[in-house]
Amino acid sequence: MIRLLLAEDQGMMRGALALLLNLEPDIEVVAEAGTTAEAVAAALRLRPDVALLDIEMPDGSGLDTAATLRKKLPQCRVLILTTFGRPGYLRRAMEAGAAGFLVKDGPVEELAVAVRRVLAGERVIDPTLAAAALSAGPNPLTDRERHVLAAAADGATIADIAARLHLSESTVRNYLSAAIGKTGTRNRIEAALSARANGWL
């Protein structure tokens, strides 16, 4: 049996996926998690073969969880399943050590096949998203530019961002200016929207 951990923040979706995957003759959902903290704790306790992770969780990102599992439980294969099929997310998932990346609008049979394939050592990527990621190119933003832009996305002032990230106001302005230039936008709100749409934040 393939022992599977399922991490999805929406209870109804999580329950439905667990029910459908448990119908497969060779897959057993051994744990369900609604947060990244629950997912990591369950993975370390139960040592599943495959972790099926959503990206956007209430306490963090499935991408960060993938990186944590790669370090702490390298034998567990990670498959990202998300609504957000963004090229930047795909790149970040692969960098975090994920073995697969699928969007949620596919049939459950394909998901079960993907689980088997990643466990067998293959890499499984949604083909449409793979093509989009190749045409979009790499994330042009540095880590610091991403953090500053993410902090600016809610309309925070320069002073607020500087205090939150322990930076000077002039440094914040420089990072925002660089991010605006790299995203080809007119202001920090547009830059944040563009970066989010591409999966860079």
Side-chain angles (χ1 to χ4, degrees), residues 179-195:
I180 291 166
K182 288 177 179 180
T183 55
T185 53
R186 296 176 297 178
N187 55 54
R188 59 187 170 150
I189 300 299
E190 284 184 10
L193 289 171
S194 172

Side-chain angles (χ1 to χ4, degrees), residues 147-148 150-170 172-173 176 188:
H147 292 139
V148 171
D154 62 0
T157 65
I158 298 290
D160 291 339
I161 297 166
R164 191 181 316 165
L165 299 179
H166 308 290
L167 298 169
S168 71
E169 291 185 25
S170 62
V172 168
R173 283 190 188 89
L176 287 174
R188 59 187 170 150

Side-chain angles (χ1 to χ4, degrees), residues 19-78:
L19 184 67
L20 291 167
L21 287 168
N22 274 326
L23 292 174
E24 296 293 321
D26 58 342
I27 296 175
E28 178 189 6
V29 178
V30 294
E32 297 178 39
T35 66
T36 59
E38 289 173 5
V40 171
L44 294 177
R45 188 175 72 252
L46 298 168
R47 308 180 81 76
D49 301 309
V50 177
L52 184 60
L53 308 176
D54 190 11
I55 289 183
E56 297 202 354
M57 304 284 278
D59 63 337
S61 166
L63 301 173
D64 296 330
T65 305
T68 300
L69 292 180
R70 179 175 62 177
K71 288 178 193 161
K72 296 187 175 183
L73 199 65
Q75 68 272 28
C76 178
R77 305 284 287 167
V78 173

Side-chain angles (χ1 to χ4, degrees), residues 105-146:
D105 59 1
V108 74
E109 296 83 11
E110 284 183 15
L111 179 57
V113 169
V115 167
R116 294 180 190 107
R117 287 178 60 195
V118 297
L119 186 60
E122 294 181 47
R123 185 158 278 193
V124 181
I125 299 171
D126 179 272
T128 304
L129 187 57
L134 287 172
S135 63
N139 180 353
L141 304 174
T142 66
D143 282 345
R144 188 58 92 172
E145 289 163 355
R146 284 193 314 108

